[in-house]
Amino acid sequence: MKRILVVDDDRASCKLLKDLFLAQGWDTEAVIAPDEALRLAAQHPFDLLVSDINLEAHQTGLDLLRQLRDFCPVILVTGFGTLETTVTAAKEGAWDIISKPFKVQEILATVKRALDHESIADEE
């Protein structure tokens, strides 16, 4: 079963994404703090990280991207996306960047592509 880690400082967004992903049959953890995300990722690897870029913490989604990109694909979500942030995220290795408000089908399709890509890469 695919494991997804969701990080968003907005509890409603965390719950929405977790519920969406669970409904797809993906094991999902959702946290609001980057430190908690790193702790969970160290305990048991995830197949995908979906994180808001702007977190109300000393670390951002870009910081999480830099720390976890070698272990799983990272999809960043932002409600305040600028071209500079998007370019930085792409250069840093983000799988994709999705703007809020997002369409449910858009985020599910992006997550599925990322998980499918990782499955194919694991088989090679």
Side-chain angles (χ1 to χ4, degrees):
M1 178 182 296
K2 297 294 185 177
R3 296 189 74 233
I4 300 174
L5 177 58
V6 174
V7 185
D8 196 318
D9 57 347
D10 178 64
R11 291 183 192 279
S13 292
C14 264
K15 181 173 178 7
L16 171 68
L17 289 172
K18 182 176 182 175
D19 290 348
L20 284 173
F21 299 159
L22 287 171
Q24 298 298 310
W26 300 318
D27 184 19
T28 307
E29 294 284 341
V31 298
I32 61 169
D35 292 342
E36 179 69 5
L38 292 172
R39 186 186 67 73
L40 287 172
Q43 289 177 347
H44 192 299
F46 286 87
D47 297 297
L48 180 67
L49 169 66
V50 178
S51 177
D52 192 359
I53 291 178
N54 298 309
L55 301 169
E56 296 291 323
H58 64 279
Q59 293 186 15
T60 67
L62 288 171
D63 294 322
L64 291 176
L65 167 65
R66 291 177 188 117
Q67 294 176 65
L68 297 176
R69 66 182 171 211
D70 292 338
F71 305 102
C72 67
V74 177
I75 296 172
L76 295 174
V77 181
T78 183
F80 308 100
T82 64
L83 181 58
E84 180 181 341
T85 302
T86 301
V87 169
T88 299
K91 284 183 179 178
E92 293 284 346
W95 171 262
D96 206 342
I97 300 103
I98 297 175
S99 295
K100 289 181 181 178
F102 53 80
K103 294 183 174 114
V104 169
Q105 291 308 316
E106 172 191 15
I107 198 154
L108 289 176
T110 303
V111 167
K112 185 171 180 354
R113 278 194 311 274
L115 291 172
D116 288 348
H117 181 268
E118 284 305 295
S119 293
I120 291 168
D122 289 345
E123 292 173 7
E124 294 177 352

